[in-house]
Amino acid sequence: MAETSAISEDFLRQLTAVGEVDILVGVPTFNNRDTIERVLSAVQVGLTKYFHRERCVLINPDGGSTDGTPDIFKNASVEDFGMLLTSNPLRTFHRVSAPYHGIPGKETALRTLFTAADLLRAKACAIFSPDSLSITPEWVDSLIRPVYREEYDFVAPVYQRQKFDGLLARGLISPVVASLYGRRVHEPVGSELGLSGRLACHFLESNVWEEDLTTFGLEIWMTTTAIVNQFRLGESFLGPKIHAAKQFGQDVAGTVRQVVGALFRCLDLHQDFWKRREGASEALPLFGFEYKVALEPLRIGKKGVLDTFRSQVEQLVPILESILTPQTLLHLRNVAQLADRDFHYPDELWVKTIYEFAAAHHRSVINRDHLLQALPPLYRGWVGSFILENQKTDAARMDQRIEALGQEFDRWKSYLTDRWEAGTGGER
Amino acid sequence: MAGDGLWYKDAVIYELHVRGFYDSDGNGAGEFRGLTLKLDYLSDLGVNALWLLPFYPSPLRDDGYDISDYTNIHPAYGTLDDFRMFLDESHRRGIRVITELVLNHTSDQHPWFQQARSSRENPRRDWYVWSDSVERYKQARIIFTDTELSNWAWDPVSKSYYWHRFFSHQPDLNFDNPAVREAAWEVMKFWFEMGVDGLRLDAVPYLVEREGTSCENLPETHDVLKYLRRRADETFSEKMFLAEANQWPRDVRQYFGDGDECHMAFHFPLMPRMFMAIRLEDRKPIVDIFQQTPEIPATCQWGIFLRNHDELTLEMVTDEERDYMYDEFARDTRAKLNLGIRRRLAPLMEGDRRRVELMNGLLMSMPGTPILYYGDEIGMGDNIYLGDRNGVRTPMQWNGGWNAGFSNADPEQLYSPIISNPVYGYQAVNVESQRRYDHSLLSWTKRLIRLRKSSRVFSRGTMEILKPQNHRVLAYIREFGNERVLVVSNLSSQAQAAELDLKRWKGSIPIEMFGGNLFPPIGDLPYLLTLGPYQFYWFRLRRL
Amino acid sequence: MKNLVLQSLNQTLGRFYSMLEQFLPHLLAMLIIVLAGWLVAIILKIIARRLFALARVNVLSEGSGITQILKKADLPPPLDLLTRLVFWVVWIAFILVGLDTLGIPELHLQISRLFLFLPQIFVALIVLFIGLLAANFFSRAALLAAVNANLPSARLVSGFVRFIIVLLTIAMALEQLALAQRTVLITFTIAFGAIMLSLAIAFGIGGRVVAQQMLERVFPSGEAQKQREEKEKAEEIPPL
């Protein structure tokens, strides 16, 4: 049922013509006119350069763009990059355009891609975000080679980050995944990834598609599902990740809500796994040549951030009361009382906040969406504190700092397990 | 045999080495008398032209390409009378004869060179290219990189350097000298008068040298060829020049001139790409090379081939393509030689009859005159343990008896051991056994050749490549006058379906040419064909 | 005379006895019914507790926020509340049925009126219950939305939402009971009008600044533009 509904007849026809492939690359788009061309050329040059012998297909699931993105896709051709290549590709290069209807979202796009991977019996797949400004042809190699040649099933990206970039991923998602699932994935919400055909089929067969996992949720779900089902995970260094301008306008609260919500859902789904799992977390094997370039620091306005945090915590007290334990709430309120110069949101409190939120989410103490909405103000407070604390920290020390935070998450794992059971125990 | 003088366009050429075909006198090597005895076999096969590898007197340091007398026959192959008899017998069977002519160089044993080197004042001195230093023509590449370090060789007799593009025992003739051109024409005239129908001109790009150039494809070289052609046209009719220029199609194109230079030229880059396409299971390499192939004058024709007496040359491919070919077709590194792979068709196709058939089917249906290499019609194997290219020049396998029916000599006496492994050995692969069965490769090849010759659409028609979405399927339309043939080939090892856009021929009925069966008429919808592994169809599109 | 007295005494006594004779079985029956009702109620209560536990009523109520309301009202947790409700409803019904067996006409009339009125009470209670739930849910949603939108008085907004919904609910519940319909309507109108008026006044006096800000946002002056940009920059740390 899943296969037929995700695929239009025209798409199927195109797939039939493509036949069996070795490598499938997907670039899901939705109104990405400004950036898609760059991404497509990088991907095509990468495939030609590194996989010129393999049978490759490039698929573009488009969520009904109105700005001509699909046309750009259709008209781009490898021959345009003759200057970049020492030779022509040996094989026909397939480009398949797959418009889908309905709500534009990663869910349908990925499902389309996985279905294609299944039908075409692709050995390795890679997915690229249509708005990476810093993409290079080497990314194609970095994500696909471990899968295609080394038999890895899942290759997460490692980006070089500006030190305060991506704090939600680095200060919350990644450490929680590491502590509970036991694998240190740097970018569990990365927008690029490589995966094996058999993992794609595994994803396709799961029933997650009926659930409502949003844009960012799928990546977390894929990462954690791959871990839980004992697939081989690796990481590849890609270089700096520069977001397209469009992402800047994105609403932080909404993103936090979606991502953390998805993480909590996964914790629910996989509770049997992570509750039983023991021992320290392992790093993933890292592929790719690591290099550093100087990144332009992000401009951060701190004015008013702390004041906002203070007032928001006070106003949210009635809601936080039902989510957090009295001790944690008290601690939090004390932190909110601190003067600007002393302001510090301790790691332990941050970890407990997250774990208590997770447990409360599991037990549905209040409406789950309300629960998630109460988190962004606290996230902002933590970010504010983190930035104040690390203003002068250099990049190397920053890694250590993040690692220390991760250890804190490890240390309190049993705390989460206790809180998790607390709710279900009270019933009897 | 008469007609418009374009016999070479409709020909199916069979390339063979006199030495390796049939030994009638039991000395261990074939000769013209033996070859004459086997003309019935060739006639039965259906070929209508023979291309003979060099048979001139020669020290045989380069398999006869080092000629020491242009107007005679090497004693091992017989006499001029034997040759005349062979020519007559061939012509009687409607088979034309193409011989080799190596104009670029002679053997260092040739009397011309002996005279030229004898003293700097000798009148023949200027027939070759001499220099006191090695600094001249520095931009010319060295072709036999495995053996030669320079294009100049020191002559201790006359104490100067002489120019050679190939082996150092093959000094290049100086075609700037009108006397040399005249001598070359005399040689041509000699053979044409005897009855030879065509000449394969070996190594033509290198005839003339000029400072500051690569000394290949020079305009002066073309002038030489045009001169020879003019002389030939003035004196004879229906004679043919076949240029050997291992170059890109756009460079080879110049050897056709405006129809006033060579009649035919080999299409070298096509051959490796056919092998590549079937290995990649993708039509792209073939389509690409046809797109890069320029139009040629109406009286001219490409010579196309799958295998020949040389290695499968990979000069006209990119580095990536060459690496790919080596990895796929020469896993045993012994099979590599220079820039190529020294193997026969059947082993390259891993003995897969379907693939051999597909490759022959492509060859016979593509624009150009097909050239078969002896032994490939029965799927002969090779012996990569022999040196140089001798592995693909082993004796023809006539039957499962003594010396494969090739010779009555002692096996030790043979010029080359016969293939005797269990797969391709003469007891398994030979003419006699295949002649008995209708489904043998030999019988099938006969039918293929007959079909090819049944219509001029294959030899003279235009080619239009169709682009069905399935890139594993190569499809093209050949068209000549009112005749149209649709060729659809599955390059893949698995069954494939293809939808062909044949709207322009709506209403026509495809008739499958091998069996003569009617297929459903062409309508408005894309024409759907399913093809088994490596299967191909030839359809005559008949309008009713 | 004496006979007459004796006779009437006798008669009275006889009547009393006969009345007693008539009434006692009824009383006994009533007592038996009440006792049986008590037993049935206890059994039902036990069954109900099991059923509710199976239906995970506690979890559900915690999720929907009922537990919190009950806690605030110093009421027992929902599972207890529901089982107690079952117990009392069943037992009171039995008691009423028992009383009816006494055959007292006045009582009979009152009881039947009570039974007629019972559905209305029940519906009113449900309306009240749902209303309180909705008030809780929407006030929380409003609070979160306001906090995330960084509005200055989020608690006020949330309280206001709760107040309006509770008010509406009470009005609807009373309406359902068909009690003092006029009074309810008038009270509600007055309360609503008062709020709107106070809002209007408050906005008029206090909203000048807000109005100014809004105008500036639409037609930005250089200074305001800069501030705004700075503020947006502050949001620019991409979380992912």
Side-chain angles (χ1 to χ4, degrees):
Chain A
M1 171 215 102
E3 275 137 56
T4 44
S5 64
I7 284 226
S8 74
E9 195 185 325
D10 177 58
F11 183 48
L12 195 62
R13 201 169 268 268
Q14 291 187 65
L15 290 185
T16 316
V18 173
E20 189 176 343
V21 298
D22 299 310
I23 291 167
L24 179 146
V25 175
V27 183
T29 54
F30 178 63
N31 288 340
N32 300 101
R33 187 183 54 190
D34 299 333
T35 50
I36 183 74
E37 212 160 344
R38 199 190 143 65
V39 173
L40 286 181
S41 21
V43 168
Q44 298 191 62
V45 170
L47 283 174
T48 315
K49 198 165 157 193
Y50 295 103
F51 299 100
H52 60 267
R53 283 188 192 181
E54 278 67 29
R55 296 168 290 180
C56 304
V57 61
L58 177 56
I59 298 182
N60 167 232
D62 186 86
S65 298
T66 47
D67 65 350
T69 305
D71 299 327
I72 297 178
F73 176 83
K74 273 176 214 149
N75 297 332
S77 105
V78 149
E79 279 71 32
D80 301 348
F81 320 121
M83 300 301 286
L84 296 168
L85 295 168
T86 49
S87 70
N88 278 327
L90 295 183
R91 296 176 183 279
T92 308
F93 192 93
H94 296 284
R95 276 173 294 122
V96 175
S97 176
Y100 59 85
H101 303 289
I103 313 150
K106 254 214 180 113
E107 196 185 327
T108 324
L110 288 189
R111 197 172 176 187
T112 308
L113 289 178
F114 294 159
T115 311
D118 185 17
L119 290 175
L120 301 182
R121 306 207 295 169
K123 289 179 191 69
C125 314
I127 292 155
F128 291 94
S129 112
D131 56 4
S132 305
L133 291 179
S134 50
I135 186 171
T136 66
E138 283 65 38
W139 288 23
V140 176
D141 184 49
S142 304
L143 290 178
I144 293 177
R145 186 167 298 275
V147 177
Y148 190 70
R149 304 242 188 260
E150 316 274 336
E151 309 213 327
Y152 276 78
D153 288 304
F154 187 92
V155 181
V158 176
Y159 304 117
Q160 185 201 343
R161 295 278 208 176
Q162 199 282 333
K163 68 177 181 179
F164 293 133
D165 183 23
L167 282 180
L168 180 66
R170 293 196 289 164
L172 199 172
I173 311 292
S174 173
V176 169
V177 169
S179 301
L180 299 186
Y181 291 87
R183 297 307 193 87
R184 290 203 289 279
V185 186
H186 286 86
E187 302 283 349
V189 206
S191 46
E192 272 83 24
L193 73 99
L195 72 162
S196 65
R198 81 192 177 101
L199 183 55
C201 295
H202 180 87
F203 287 154
L204 194 64
E205 281 157 19
S206 84
N207 49 6
V208 77
W209 310 105
E210 268 78 62
E211 296 192 29
D212 173 41
L213 276 177
T214 43
T215 313
F216 300 106
L218 272 173
E219 277 100 357
I220 298 180
W221 174 79
M222 290 194 290
T223 311
T224 52
T225 305
I227 298 175
V228 169
N229 292 290
Q230 315 286 329
F231 284 97
R232 283 186 80 195
L233 277 82
E235 286 184 314
S236 248
F237 181 79
L238 296 186
K241 164 91 176 171
I242 298 169
H243 303 269
K246 204 167 152 190
Q247 276 212 324
F248 280 92
Q250 218 164 43
D251 144 47
V252 173
T255 312
V256 170
R257 231 166 87 196
Q258 288 183 17
V259 174
V260 177
L263 175 68
F264 287 172
R265 286 282 287 283
C266 290
L267 294 188
D268 256 359
L269 280 173
H270 303 139
Q271 52 175 319
D272 291 339
F273 174 82
W274 60 258
K275 275 197 266 179
R276 268 190 289 122
R277 199 197 67 79
E278 274 167 15
S281 60
E282 301 166 32
L284 300 179
L286 180 67
F287 296 90
F289 178 72
E290 222 171 324
Y291 61 94
K292 297 269 184 258
V293 292
L295 294 176
E296 196 185 331
L298 293 172
R299 283 186 54 194
I300 301 154
K302 295 179 292 290
K303 220 163 56 180
V305 169
L306 299 184
D307 288 335
T308 315
F309 175 64
R310 284 186 192 108
S311 75
Q312 285 180 333
V313 168
E314 270 324 298
Q315 300 194 342
L316 284 176
V317 163
I319 292 171
L320 294 176
E321 265 174 348
S322 47
I323 301 171
L324 299 174
T325 57
Q327 303 91 303
T328 309
L329 182 56
L330 185 67
H331 195 169
L332 182 65
R333 291 176 77 173
N334 287 340
V335 166
Q337 300 300 320
L338 293 173
D340 277 12
R341 57 158 69 180
D342 303 325
F343 185 78
H344 179 59
Y345 196 133
D347 283 355
E348 183 187 324
L349 178 61
W350 174 238
V351 171
K352 282 186 171 173
T353 311
I354 297 306
Y355 280 167
E356 286 177 19
F357 261 83
H361 182 272
H362 168 64
R363 302 193 322 254
S364 302
V365 282
I366 59 170
N367 174 290
R368 284 183 165 184
D369 190 45
H370 287 175
L371 179 134
L372 292 170
Q373 283 186 50
L375 190 59
L378 307 189
Y379 167 73
R380 283 211 190 85
W382 174 76
V383 168
S385 155
F386 194 82
I387 291 172
L388 277 180
E389 181 197 329
N390 296 294
Q391 214 136 30
K392 298 208 173 66
T393 313
D394 61 31
R397 295 265 299 284
M398 196 64 188
D399 290 342
Q400 291 173 11
R401 177 67 190 81
I402 295 277
E403 217 163 280
L405 178 63
Q407 281 163 7
E408 205 64 16
F409 273 97
D410 283 347
R411 198 155 73 85
W412 292 100
K413 188 194 157 188
S414 59
Y415 183 77
L416 171 64
T417 328
D418 295 343
R419 298 283 312 152
W420 197 270
E421 307 296 351
T424 48
E427 210 173 280
R428 279 164 221 130
Chain B
M1 269 174 99
D4 50 11
L6 302 180
W7 60 270
Y8 48 88
K9 286 198 139 193
D10 303 322
V12 175
I13 302 176
Y14 188 90
E15 176 193 1
L16 64 88
H17 203 311
V18 179
R19 185 182 59 187
F21 210 61
Y22 186 62
D23 173 23
S24 64
D25 56 8
N27 66 354
E31 65 296 296
F32 278 109
R33 282 171 183 272
L35 176 56
T36 314
L37 290 173
K38 293 294 182 187
L39 279 175
D40 284 335
Y41 165 75
L42 295 171
S43 166
D44 180 46
L45 181 61
V47 299
N48 49 16
L50 297 180
W51 156 25
L52 307 180
L53 293 178
F55 47 74
Y56 306 95
S58 156
L60 295 180
R61 292 177 69 187
D62 183 21
D63 223 358
Y65 285 93
D66 47 339
I67 299 170
S68 58
D69 182 356
Y70 279 112
T71 53
N72 212 335
I73 303 284
H74 193 286
Y77 306 142
T79 62
L80 274 174
D81 284 336
D82 292 343
F83 182 70
R84 274 194 201 98
M85 190 178 73
F86 156 74
L87 272 181
D88 292 344
E89 288 299 313
S90 302
H91 288 160
R92 211 162 57 77
R93 291 172 175 80
I95 297 176
R96 308 257 184 177
V97 175
I98 302 161
T99 62
E100 288 270 357
L101 187 57
V102 189
L103 286 176
N104 181 61
H105 51 261
T106 66
S107 161
D108 58 0
Q109 304 301 313
H110 197 286
W112 294 348
F113 186 69
Q114 293 301 331
Q115 290 170 26
R117 78 177 348 175
S118 63
S119 86
R120 294 194 175 208
E121 284 71 42
N122 191 287
R124 286 264 158 78
R125 178 71 178 180
D126 199 29
W127 283 39
Y128 292 86
V129 183
W130 298 94
S131 170
D132 287 332
S133 89
V134 294
E135 295 306 309
R136 285 177 76 191
Y137 312 140
K138 281 210 84 99
Q139 275 160 298
R141 68 185 171 117
I142 297 161
I143 294 166
F144 287 156
T145 46
D146 288 358
T147 41
E148 298 298 328
L149 297 170
S150 165
N151 285 326
W152 291 105
W154 177 249
D155 172 36
V157 182
S158 63
K159 300 212 166 25
S160 59
Y161 294 98
Y162 62 87
W163 179 250
H164 63 90
R165 285 311 296 268
F166 297 90
F167 291 114
S168 59
H169 55 76
Q170 292 168 326
D172 275 30
L173 284 164
N174 177 15
F175 275 88
D176 283 330
N177 186 343
V180 172
R181 290 186 218 177
E182 197 53 37
W185 164 242
E186 288 300 326
V187 173
M188 283 184 168
K189 201 170 84 177
F190 175 81
W191 293 108
F192 283 152
E193 276 178 346
M194 194 174 294
V196 166
D197 300 284
L199 291 173
R200 173 186 178 272
L201 305 179
D202 186 67
V204 283
Y206 314 101
L207 296 183
V208 180
E209 298 77 32
R210 284 292 176 270
E211 195 59 65
T213 68
S214 68
C215 299
E216 294 178 23
N217 308 322
L218 295 181
E220 292 83 355
T221 296
H222 291 287
D223 290 342
V224 173
L225 290 168
K226 285 192 168 107
Y227 167 78
L228 294 171
R229 168 75 184 264
R230 205 176 60 241
R231 296 295 299 270
D233 283 352
E234 283 165 7
T235 324
F236 305 101
S237 64
E238 299 202 4
K239 301 295 181 195
M240 185 271 286
F241 286 1
L242 166 57
E244 186 227 20
N246 192 350
Q247 308 277 337
W248 288 100
R250 58 173 179 276
D251 295 324
V252 178
R253 168 68 187 79
Q254 300 164 6
Y255 289 90
F256 294 117
D258 299 318
D260 57 355
E261 211 170 311
C262 295
H263 303 80
M264 281 183 71
F266 290 110
H267 198 314
F268 275 99
L270 172 63
M271 182 269 299
R273 280 170 181 78
M274 288 168 73
F275 285 92
M276 209 149 66
I278 199 171
R279 194 74 205 182
L280 289 166
E281 308 198 349
D282 193 320
R283 66 174 180 239
K284 181 173 187 286
I286 295 177
V287 174
D288 276 0
I289 199 65
F290 274 114
Q291 273 164 359
Q292 290 176 40
T293 303
E295 284 289 308
I296 55 175
T299 54
C300 296
Q301 178 83 324
W302 290 107
I304 56 176
F305 58 98
L306 294 172
R307 294 301 319 114
N308 61 18
H309 60 287
D310 282 328
E311 68 274 17
L312 191 166
T313 173
L314 296 175
E315 277 176 69
M316 294 299 123
V317 297
T318 63
D319 292 348
E320 272 101 351
E321 291 168 335
R322 189 175 309 124
D323 289 346
Y324 179 78
M325 291 292 283
Y326 278 148
D327 288 353
E328 295 299 327
F329 289 109
R331 288 209 192 92
D332 186 342
T333 49
R334 240 187 290 267
K336 290 185 196 173
L337 180 73
N338 292 330
L339 281 181
I341 301 166
R342 47 191 189 122
R343 303 222 71 166
R344 271 182 177 273
L345 179 62
L348 284 170
M349 296 292 109
E350 295 166 329
D352 183 347
R353 170 83 183 269
R354 292 175 303 180
R355 270 185 272 176
V356 171
E357 286 185 6
L358 172 60
M359 289 297 268
N360 277 308
L362 288 173
L363 180 75
M364 291 287 172
S365 61
M366 280 177 174
T369 296
I371 299 157
L372 299 176
Y373 185 51
Y374 85 95
D376 281 349
E377 75 272 25
I378 54 171
M380 252 171 73
D382 49 34
N383 182 356
I384 53 175
Y385 298 94
L386 297 178
D388 199 23
R389 287 151 291 184
N390 296 328
V392 298
R393 301 174 180 180
T394 57
M396 180 73 179
Q397 294 164 197
W398 293 104
N399 57 44
W402 185 257
N403 288 338
F406 164 73
S407 167
N408 291 324
D410 290 339
E412 295 79 6
Q413 220 182 331
L414 298 183
Y415 76 94
S416 159
I418 293 175
I419 307 289
S420 52
N421 66 52
V423 183
Y424 300 108
Y426 64 94
Q427 278 154 334
V429 177
N430 62 64
V431 172
E432 185 56 37
S433 65
Q434 295 201 15
R435 218 188 330 225
R436 292 191 194 181
Y437 297 103
D438 203 32
H439 58 257
S440 66
L441 182 61
L442 177 64
S443 308
W444 181 85
T445 309
K446 273 186 214 169
R447 285 199 295 278
L448 184 73
I449 293 173
R450 199 158 305 134
L451 212 54
R452 152 90 194 190
K453 291 197 300 182
S454 71
S455 167
R456 285 187 167 180
V457 75
F458 291 114
S459 50
R460 305 193 178 198
T462 58
M463 179 200 212
E464 181 187 344
I465 296 180
L466 304 178
K467 302 225 166 114
Q469 271 196 321
N470 189 340
H471 61 97
R472 291 158 170 81
V473 172
L474 174 67
Y476 43 87
I477 295 263
R478 303 293 313 271
E479 189 164 2
F480 183 67
N482 291 327
E483 223 174 330
R484 253 168 244 101
V485 168
L486 166 67
V487 177
V488 189
S489 312
N490 176 10
L491 302 173
S492 135
S493 58
Q494 288 147 12
Q496 299 290 338
E499 291 182 318
L500 300 170
D501 180 11
L502 300 177
K503 267 199 276 305
R504 268 182 295 161
W505 300 280
K506 190 184 158 192
S508 295
I509 293 179
I511 303 169
E512 204 279 321
M513 291 175 73
F514 286 84
N517 289 311
L518 302 184
F519 269 56
I522 298 165
D524 285 318
L525 292 173
Y527 200 78
L528 176 72
L529 281 174
T530 50
L531 299 106
Y534 301 119
Q535 197 186 9
F536 63 94
Y537 289 124
W538 291 2
F539 292 113
R540 176 170 282 126
L541 299 185
R542 202 166 148 202
R543 214 178 270 282
L544 294 178
Chain C
M1 182 66 187
K2 194 186 156 189
N3 275 354
L4 204 69
V5 171
L6 268 176
Q7 196 183 355
S8 77
L9 251 178
N10 227 354
Q11 267 177 0
T12 314
L13 231 109
R15 267 213 303 278
F16 177 70
Y17 278 130
S18 67
M19 264 176 71
L20 208 63
E21 235 171 287
Q22 271 186 345
F23 181 68
L24 265 182
H26 282 290
L27 189 67
L28 209 63
M30 186 204 82
L31 283 177
I32 289 167
I33 287 171
V34 169
L35 201 68
W38 184 72
L39 280 173
V40 169
I42 281 187
I43 292 166
L44 279 178
K45 181 179 162 177
I46 291 165
I47 293 171
R49 176 174 278 274
R50 283 277 161 83
L51 281 177
F52 289 140
L54 268 177
R56 300 168 68 85
V57 167
N58 263 4
V59 180
L60 282 176
S61 69
E62 217 169 314
S64 53
I66 302 171
T67 312
Q68 276 81 10
I69 308 177
L70 295 175
K71 218 180 267 173
K72 261 185 207 157
D74 265 338
L75 285 170
L79 191 67
D80 284 3
L81 197 72
L82 279 170
T83 47
R84 273 188 224 182
L85 195 72
V86 168
F87 175 78
W88 284 109
V89 165
V90 172
W91 200 28
I92 287 172
F94 272 95
I95 288 172
L96 290 177
V97 172
L99 284 177
D100 204 29
T101 55
L102 292 178
I104 302 162
E106 290 297 305
L107 211 56
H108 181 75
L109 204 68
Q110 286 301 328
I111 287 168
S112 40
R113 271 184 62 185
L114 194 65
F115 265 100
L116 280 176
F117 198 51
L118 212 57
Q120 282 177 38
I121 294 178
F122 195 64
V123 170
L125 274 176
I126 287 176
V127 166
L128 206 62
F129 189 67
I130 291 173
L132 286 179
L133 278 187
N136 204 40
F137 185 86
F138 285 111
S139 72
R140 203 166 60 202
L143 176 62
L144 285 163
V147 167
N148 276 317
N150 216 357
L151 292 185
S153 42
R155 288 281 271 280
L156 202 70
V157 173
S158 140
F160 178 67
V161 168
R162 179 194 298 275
F163 176 72
I164 293 280
I165 297 176
V166 169
L167 204 66
L168 250 163
T169 311
I170 291 172
M172 277 162 71
L174 290 177
E175 171 92 21
Q176 196 50 241
L177 290 175
L179 288 178
Q181 287 182 1
R182 300 271 302 275
T183 326
V184 169
L185 196 68
I186 288 164
T187 316
F188 188 73
T189 319
I190 289 172
F192 198 75
I195 289 164
M196 283 303 147
L197 184 66
S198 59
L199 268 184
I201 292 169
F203 195 73
I205 297 169
R208 273 203 339 232
V209 185
V210 180
Q212 188 186 349
Q213 282 173 0
M214 283 170 75
L215 281 173
E216 267 172 6
R217 204 172 293 175
V218 182
F219 309 102
S221 67
E223 184 76 9
Q225 176 79 12
K226 212 181 248 171
Q227 277 178 1
R228 249 191 75 216
E229 269 173 15
E230 209 137 290
K231 195 170 166 255
E232 272 168 16
K233 274 271 154 60
E235 294 281 307
E236 267 186 11
I237 315 168
L240 294 177

